[in-house]
Each structure stands twice: as structure tokens, then as C-alpha cells.
């Protein structure tokens, strides 16, 4: 009942149609003992996975989905699942793999290295279109801490200056790109997190409203960002338990959405839930993963003005979602989860 009530509130905020529901089907496609991993997908029905088998980051396996099953394949030399991430263009015609600070582009069925050098470490990544790739950078030598942005234009990586008045010490944590004409980033000057948007005329700011709380406080701590269109950008964060007088809010997952004019916090029943990932697709909509503390994990899908919730199958015990990725320009979702017994599971949701 709580979920249905919050759903109506969300759809009212987003101007959505609350009629009809969808039936989703989970299919287990692969299972193996392991620790963590990541998945990527193209618009041609192919998918890739990098799986890490233990905490020590020594053993990794690379898989390729050929349209019927997952098959083991040989990764580029030195590639491991530790600190790895896939990223695809919205159309699905350009898939990238990042293993630590090493980028690779899938070209002609082969992973081609695109060497990137920086005084910082690789952070978030985004692909707006073919050969339009962004990396947020952070860290630095010794006690120095800085950040930057790099952009791949099809020929080389180039640094991209931050907008004024932000400087080297203002951290950039996340990047997202709905297409080749627009890029979003989160920047962290002292005191508040700010969203910035880059289009043909340069950078502009899109201030975030205070986060709901007791009392409301500056928004921050975001660890997931997805951009489906110029007027459909999503951020996820975590809120701690708070109490002040008669006001009390539980620890919860929190989502804020840009609708083209302003950011708005969504009212969803996400108490005691950790939100490990948010992804977007032009056709499939926006997907969010949730790992509640006392129930089976699930994914939320906002598409066409409707919100649906699909809970992972309970067979074998509780499983926490590690990563999700939509197949570009489809309603298919790949989900990587880890069961309590240490088994990594790859599900297909259609």
C-alpha cells in the first residue's frame, strides 16, 4: 500500500499516466562463484561482463553474450574486473570498457586500447555518442587532491576546463550524457553539491534543492547519475536516519530528478534501501536498483509515465544487486546480483 501511494504521488509530480501495468519476466542466464563485477551491452543484442572471483582482485573472467548464452572470452592483456566499468552510447553503437585507468573501445569485435594519461585517477564515465566519451578525474599525488574532466573526440583525449569560478580543488564526481550535444556533471565546491550542464554554448549551473530531512539540508553524497534526455536526468543518494522534535525520517535511498526546469525530490518508499545503480535508455526508460535491508532486491523502471517494480527471484536466498545495464533502444535489462552464498547471478529482465 505504501508503494502504491508513493507511486501515485510520483506520477502526479512527473505528469504521468497511472493507468495499466506491465508484466516483467526474470530469466537466470549465468551463475558462478564470485565477488563482484560489471556488465555492458550494445544495441546489436550483444552484452559483455567482467566478473571478479575474490576479494584479492587476482582472478577475473570475461564473458560475452552471443544472443543465446554467455561464453567465456579472453580479455585484453592485464584487464581485470577490479574497478572496471562498461559504458555505451545511447544508440548502442559505441561500447567502452574501463579497467582501472585503461579505456578500451569495442571496434570490429575487438577491444582496442585508447590510452589515457592524467595526473588523476579515473572516476565516472559517460558516452554521449560514438567517439564522444567523458571521464571525471579525481585524486592526485601525495597529499594533494584535485579533479578534472577528459573528453575523447575520436582521435585523442583532451582536458576540458571547468566552468568559472570552479577551480582544481572543486571535485567532480559524476558525469552523464543523454546524447552528443549535452553533458552533465556533479561538482563539489565547499558547502554544497552543484549540477552543471554543458551544451553548445558552454557550461550552465542547475542548482540542487535541499534534501528532505529534519530539517532539510544541502544535497550531497550522490553516487549514481543517469541522463535519458535533456529534461530527464536522475541522481541517487542515501539519507541517514534523522530525528528533530516531531520530525523523524528513516535511513533511506533518495532520488532527485531534473525535469527540464528544476530538480525535484521524488517521494518513494525506499526506507532502509541502498540504491547501487541508476541507468537510462531512450526506449526502456530509467532503471534503478534497490537493495533493501529486510526484503529481496528489486529494480524500478520509470517509462512512459508509469513506474513498475520487479523483484528478483527468491530462489537460493537473498541476493543483492551489483550492477544493471539496459540493452540500448529496448526494454531488456541485464542485472548482475550476488547471492548470500557467494554466487554471482546474471539475470535478463524483459
Amino acid at each position: 500500500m505504501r508503494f502504491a501511494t508513493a507511486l501515485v504521488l510520483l506520477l502526479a509530480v512527473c505528469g504521468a499516466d497511472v493507468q495499466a501495468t506491465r508484466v516483467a519476466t526474470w530469466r537466470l542466464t549465468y551463475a558462478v562463484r564470485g565477488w563482484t563485477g560489471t556488465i555492458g551491452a550494445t544495441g546489436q543484442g550483444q552484452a559483455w561482463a567482467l566478473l571478479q572471483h575474490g576479494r584479492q582482485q587476482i582472478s577475473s573472467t570475461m564473458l560475452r553474450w552471443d544472443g543465446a548464452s554467455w561464453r567465456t572470452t579472453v580479455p585484453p592483456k592485464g584487464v581485470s574486473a577490479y574497478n572496471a566499468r562498461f559504458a555505451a552510447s545511447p544508440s548502442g553503437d559505441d561500447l567502452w570498457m574501463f579497467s582501472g585507468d585503461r579505456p578500451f573501445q569495442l571496434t570490429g569485435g575487438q577491444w582496442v586500447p585508447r590510452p589515457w594519461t592524467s595526473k588523476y585517477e579515473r572516476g565516472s564515465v559517460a558516452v554521449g555518442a560514438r567517439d564522444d566519451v567523458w571521464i571525471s578525474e579525481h585524486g592526485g599525488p601525495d597529499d594533494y587532491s584535485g579533479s578534472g574532466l577528459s573528453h575523447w573526440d575520436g582521435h585523442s583525449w583532451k582536458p576540458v576546463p571547468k566552468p568559472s569560478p570552479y577551480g582544481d580543488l572543486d571535485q567532480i564526481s559524476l558525469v552523464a550524457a543523454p546524447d552528443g550535444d549535452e553533458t552533465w556533471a556533479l561538482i563539489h565546491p565547499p558547502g554544497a553539491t552543484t549540477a552543471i550542464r554543458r551544451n553548445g554554448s558552454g557550461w550552465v549551473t542547475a542548482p540542487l534543492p535541499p534534501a528532505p530531512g529534519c530539517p532539510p539540508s544541502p544535497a550531497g553524497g550522490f553516487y549514481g547519475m543517469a541522463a535519458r534526455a535533456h529534461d530527464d536526468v536522475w541522481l541517487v543518494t542515501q539519507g541517514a536516519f534523522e530525528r528533530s522534535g516531531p520530525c523523524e525520517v528513516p535511513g533511506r535511498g533518495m532520488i532527485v530528478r531534473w525535469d527540464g526546469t528544476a530538480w525535484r525530490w521524488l517521494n518513494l518508499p525506499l526506507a532502509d534501501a541502498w540504491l547501487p545503480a541508476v541507468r537510462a535508455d531512450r526506449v526502456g526508460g530509467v532503471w534503478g536498483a534497490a537493495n533493501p535491508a529486510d526484503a529481496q532486491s528489486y529494480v524500478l523502471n520509470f517509462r512512459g509515465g508509469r513506474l513498475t517494480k520487479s523483484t528478483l527471484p527468491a530462489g537460493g536466498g537473498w541476493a543483492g544487486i551489483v550492477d544493471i545495464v539496459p540493452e540500448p533502444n529496448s526494454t531488456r535489462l541485464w542485472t548482475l546480483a550476488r547471492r548470500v552464498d557467494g554466487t554471482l547471478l546474471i539475470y535478463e529482465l524483459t
Side-chain angles (χ1 to χ4, degrees):
M1 184 65 181
R2 289 173 52 216
F3 189 87
T5 302
L7 170 59
V8 172
L9 290 174
L10 167 65
L11 297 179
V13 168
C14 298
D17 176 9
V18 299
Q19 302 301 315
T21 58
R22 299 190 187 92
V23 177
T25 302
W26 292 97
R27 182 167 71 101
L28 180 62
T29 60
Y30 193 81
V32 68
R33 299 285 293 182
W35 182 250
T36 189
T38 184
I39 302 182
T42 72
Q44 292 76 46
Q46 292 188 1
W48 301 76
L50 272 173
L51 306 181
Q52 180 179 319
H53 294 293
R55 292 190 184 189
Q56 303 304 315
Q57 310 153 20
I58 296 173
S59 176
S60 296
T61 295
M62 189 174 206
L63 303 173
R64 182 179 66 86
W65 175 261
D66 62 7
S69 63
W70 291 98
R71 299 183 180 277
T72 303
T73 187
V74 179
K77 185 177 180 180
V79 165
S80 77
Y82 176 68
N83 191 24
R85 170 73 195 277
F86 290 96
S89 62
S91 66
D93 65 346
D94 197 16
L95 180 64
W96 287 67
M97 174 178 64
F98 298 81
S99 177
D101 292 340
R102 300 175 61 200
F104 297 82
Q105 184 180 26
L106 186 62
T107 303
Q110 303 295 319
W111 290 104
V112 178
R114 305 298 189 197
W116 167 74
T117 57
S118 173
K119 61 182 178 181
Y120 305 124
E121 295 179 355
R122 191 262 303 169
S124 176
V125 297
V127 183
R130 184 163 189 84
D131 287 324
D132 178 34
V133 188
W134 295 82
I135 296 178
S136 70
E137 311 165 13
H138 59 82
D142 303 323
D143 295 330
Y144 177 82
S145 180
S147 68
L149 277 171
S150 286
H151 177 250
W152 172 264
D153 61 6
H155 303 284
S156 63
W157 294 99
K158 295 181 175 62
V160 178
K162 299 175 189 174
S164 176
Y166 303 112
D168 196 35
L169 297 181
D170 296 317
Q171 299 287 319
I172 292 180
S173 60
L174 299 171
V175 289
D179 52 46
D181 298 322
E182 185 173 274
T183 304
W184 286 79
L186 277 192
I187 194 165
H188 305 272
T193 298
T194 300
I196 55 176
R197 184 176 79 251
R198 180 184 175 94
N199 51 32
S201 58
W203 292 101
V204 295
T205 60
L208 290 156
C214 298
S217 58
F222 295 101
Y223 51 83
M225 186 180 196
R228 194 188 68 85
H230 74 279
D231 57 355
D232 197 13
V233 185
W234 298 60
L235 288 163
V236 296
T237 185
Q238 208 71 15
F241 170 82
E242 296 178 85
R243 177 185 293 162
S244 179
C247 174
E248 180 176 307
V249 293
R252 70 254 184 237
M254 300 172 66
I255 301 175
V256 62
R257 175 179 180 260
W258 171 262
D259 62 10
T261 58
W263 291 97
R264 304 181 192 279
W265 290 95
L266 305 185
N267 183 15
L268 288 173
L270 296 170
D272 298 320
W274 166 255
L275 308 178
V278 61
R279 305 283 185 257
D281 181 76
R282 292 172 177 172
V283 173
V286 175
W287 299 87
N291 292 333
D294 56 359
Q296 188 71 319
S297 300
Y298 57 89
V299 295
L300 298 173
N301 178 231
F302 181 82
R303 172 164 50 96
R306 302 184 184 96
L307 184 73
T308 57
K309 175 184 177 181
S310 302
T311 303
L312 275 179
W318 187 88
I321 296 175
V322 176
D323 194 15
I324 58 174
V325 61
E327 180 182 300
N329 295 315
S330 77
T331 57
R332 172 190 286 182
L333 182 78
W334 291 105
T335 300
L336 175 65
R338 185 175 188 268
R339 207 163 53 201
V340 289
D341 64 1
T343 302
L344 288 174
L345 309 166
I346 301 180
Y347 285 98
E348 175 192 45
L349 177 64
T350 55

